[in-house]
Amino acid sequence: MFALVDCNNFFVSCERVFRPDLQDRPVVVLSNNDGCVVARSNEVKALGVRMGTPWFQLRETARRRGITALSSNYMLYGDMSNRVASILRSYSPDVEGYSIDESFLQLDGISASWESAIAMGCSIRECILRWTGLPVCVGIGASKTLAKLANHIAKKRPEFGGVCDLETLPENRKIALLAEIDVGEVWGIGGRTAARLRAMRIETVHTLRDAAPKRLRAHFGVVMERIASELQGISCLELEDVALPKQQIISSRSFGENITRLEDLREAVSTYALRAAERLRSQNSVCGAVQVTIRTSPFLPDARLYRNSIVVPLAEPTGDSRLLAGAALCGLERIFRKGYEYKKAEVMLMALSDRDVRDGSLFCDAARDSRSVRLMDVMDSLNRNYGRGTLHLASAGAGQQQWVTRAENCTPRYTTCWDDVPCAYAK
């Protein structure tokens, strides 16, 4: 048995916890640089605003309809996500964080101590709402795909009260529900695959569940066959207790303003390399090559468009921010062209391997590597304790750079910064 716990309209709900005045009002959260809509309240969805709508296209509608637009506050969202995960671990030791607002729980043996799985789901929902202020829905099924589908039903069908257990539904009721849900709503099926399924007269979840396995495998491969098996209650996907190390790490942002000077690009690329290196060390990996990409805005005329990238291999795999940033800046020097207005830069760490399991080299200096590891550990510790950027490379610059991401409507970091902790005053 699996449960999927999903926070409703997560980014918007996090903002509403500390801004009660936003309850029942249309609210959107914007992406980096306030570029496009990445989260919508139910009131905004009712107005027909689509996910990904550029803010410049929505600005006038927002003014007329009274839509509140907020910049992304990822420090707040990450902390609230951790608080929800902590609550879930009190219900089950087996928790997989699928995304920032979704988690799978394995209920085998756990739900037996409850009157029913639905009672457990209701308890989870009430506890998270009481302790964090975030509304969630809970879907329960015999496989991860069914749990994901049950969560979809719990969200879309008010009669379930936010908790749906497909295993306890009468078979005729379950078939009726599955026959009403489009095949494109199934976890793991994208738009193109859904169109191909519909062309084969597999239009609903019910018809996909009952489709011939050999036919599905012949047209779509083994993955589709497993999805159909999961819909039949045959669990093919295990809970991932530990996230696998990433094979590539990307740090990328659009600039707050277009920049033309190499000096500004150097600061941005160095900063992105530092952020990527922190994530690299957090998964105990080292990097063998660095790719740097710079580009102008894609909306400029063709004569002003420019995009280029380069891969810089490293003599030895490393997790040292100094070496990674140096390689990134070396690549930047080779692809930079004067006369262009750059909008975005990206640093990708490639050829990753385990720091503790790697091939030796004739030129490897064990003492130097040991000093590098200790230095990076100190650097990461200081930045964790006193805030990102407390200790950084000089090449990343200082102060308010022109390229820093724009966030004109960002709310305070209520839960992670002492200066932003909300205060309550007695009258």
Side-chain angles (χ1 to χ4, degrees):
M1 291 288 291
F2 296 89
L4 177 69
V5 180
D6 184 9
C7 299
N8 302 339
N9 307 325
F10 181 59
F11 290 177
V12 171
S13 295
C14 287
E15 300 288 355
R16 283 176 165 173
V17 170
F18 301 95
R19 289 278 307 276
D21 59 302
L22 296 179
Q23 293 291 343
D24 302 321
R25 288 177 52 188
V27 180
V28 296
V29 175
L30 305 176
S31 63
N32 291 317
N33 277 315
D34 296 344
C36 61
V37 174
V38 294
R40 305 163 294 164
S41 67
N42 290 333
E43 295 79 9
V44 170
K45 294 176 184 178
L47 294 175
V49 176
R50 299 177 65 85
M51 186 72 81
T53 301
W55 172 237
F56 74 88
Q57 294 181 1
L58 183 62
R59 193 186 301 272
E60 180 57 27
T61 301
R63 186 189 64 79
R64 288 189 287 103
R65 297 296 187 96
I67 299 175
T68 300
L70 301 173
S71 303
S72 297
N73 187 344
Y74 295 117
M75 292 290 287
L76 172 64
Y77 309 150
D79 185 65
M80 295 294 281
S81 175
N82 291 337
R83 292 170 186 243
V84 171
S86 178
I87 294 171
L88 295 179
R89 283 191 287 271
S90 70
Y91 283 88
S92 171
D94 301 316
V95 178
E96 174 193 335
Y98 175 63
S99 68
I100 192 171
D101 61 342
E102 293 179 273
S103 294
F104 283 104
L105 283 72
Q106 191 148 7
L107 303 183
D108 295 349
I110 304 296
S111 57
S113 59
W114 290 80
E115 181 181 347
S116 67
I118 291 181
M120 183 180 183
C122 289
S123 176
I124 290 173
R125 193 165 185 264
E126 293 167 3
C127 186
I128 292 175
L129 183 62
R130 183 170 64 251
W131 289 3
T132 70
L134 297 175
V136 303
C137 285
V138 182
I140 301 167
S143 67
K144 292 172 75 173
T145 303
L146 282 175
K148 184 85 169 173
L149 190 65
N151 187 278
H152 171 79
I153 294 171
K155 277 189 171 183
K156 300 297 182 181
R157 305 270 182 160
E159 62 266 28
F160 285 92
V163 180
C164 175
D165 180 8
L166 284 176
E167 301 312 302
T168 59
L169 286 178
E171 187 62 21
N172 60 341
R173 173 64 170 147
K174 184 190 299 185
I175 290 175
L177 278 172
L178 299 186
E180 295 174 5
I181 302 174
D182 184 83
V183 70
E185 297 293 344
V186 177
W187 184 38
I189 295 181
R192 293 183 179 180
T193 303
R196 290 177 59 194
L197 286 168
R198 294 187 196 102
M200 298 169 59
R201 297 185 181 278
I202 301 175
E203 300 177 347
T204 68
V205 177
H206 179 248
T207 52
L208 175 60
R209 186 191 71 166
D210 293 346
K214 290 184 178 179
R215 184 188 181 202
L216 292 175
R217 185 164 189 164
H219 285 84
F220 301 97
V222 68
V223 173
M224 186 61 69
E225 183 181 17
R226 287 176 179 171
I227 289 175
S229 296
E230 286 252 323
L231 291 175
Q232 294 168 6
I234 303 171
S235 179
C236 303
L237 302 173
E238 298 295 330
L239 204 69
E240 297 179 6
D241 298 320
V242 180
L244 296 176
K246 296 182 182 295
Q247 299 304 303
Q248 294 178 332
I249 294 177
I250 298 174
S251 181
S252 173
R253 289 289 187 276
S254 296
F255 305 138
E257 299 178 14
N258 291 343
I259 60 178
T260 58
R261 300 193 313 154
L262 176 60
E263 293 78 6
D264 293 326
L265 272 177
R266 286 175 58 87
E267 290 185 356
V269 167
S270 183
T271 299
Y272 299 162
L274 286 174
R275 293 175 182 173
E278 289 177 359
R279 292 160 56 191
L280 176 77
R281 293 190 293 271
S282 70
Q283 67 174 36
N284 198 43
S285 296
V286 289
C287 166
V290 179
Q291 177 176 292
V292 182
T293 304
I294 55 175
R295 69 168 175 82
T296 59
S297 170
F299 302 107
L300 293 175
D302 290 345
R304 297 167 58 191
L305 290 177
Y306 178 73
R307 176 190 173 94
N308 205 349
S309 63
I310 187 172
V311 175
V312 181
L314 301 171
E316 290 286 336
T318 183
D320 193 313
S321 294
R322 299 169 297 173
L323 300 177
L324 296 174
L329 293 176
C330 180
L332 174 65
E333 298 277 356
R334 296 179 61 181
I335 62 176
F336 174 76
R337 297 292 181 271
K338 290 184 178 180
Y340 290 98
E341 297 179 354
Y342 294 95
K343 184 62 178 176
K344 188 174 184 178
E346 174 184 290
V347 174
M348 178 189 297
L349 305 186
M350 310 166 64
L352 307 189
S353 58
D354 192 321
R355 185 175 74 178
D356 300 324
V357 183
R358 54 180 172 142
D359 295 333
S361 167
L362 179 64
F363 304 102
C364 179
D365 186 336
R368 181 194 61 199
D369 286 352
S370 177
R371 290 194 300 270
S372 170
V373 169
R374 292 200 302 272
L375 176 60
M376 292 300 107
D377 286 345
V378 170
M379 185 175 180
D380 291 340
S381 177
L382 287 172
N383 288 331
R384 279 195 302 269
N385 292 334
Y386 298 102
R388 172 185 280 178
T390 298
L391 186 62
H392 62 267
L393 301 181
S395 59
Q400 289 296 318
Q401 297 96 335
Q402 178 186 5
W403 51 267
V404 171
T405 300
R406 183 174 61 248
E408 298 175 351
N409 300 304
C410 191
T411 50
R413 296 165 294 173
Y414 300 106
T415 63
T416 58
C417 178
W418 283 111
D419 293 335
D420 291 344
V421 172
C423 298
Y425 299 96
K427 291 184 176 180

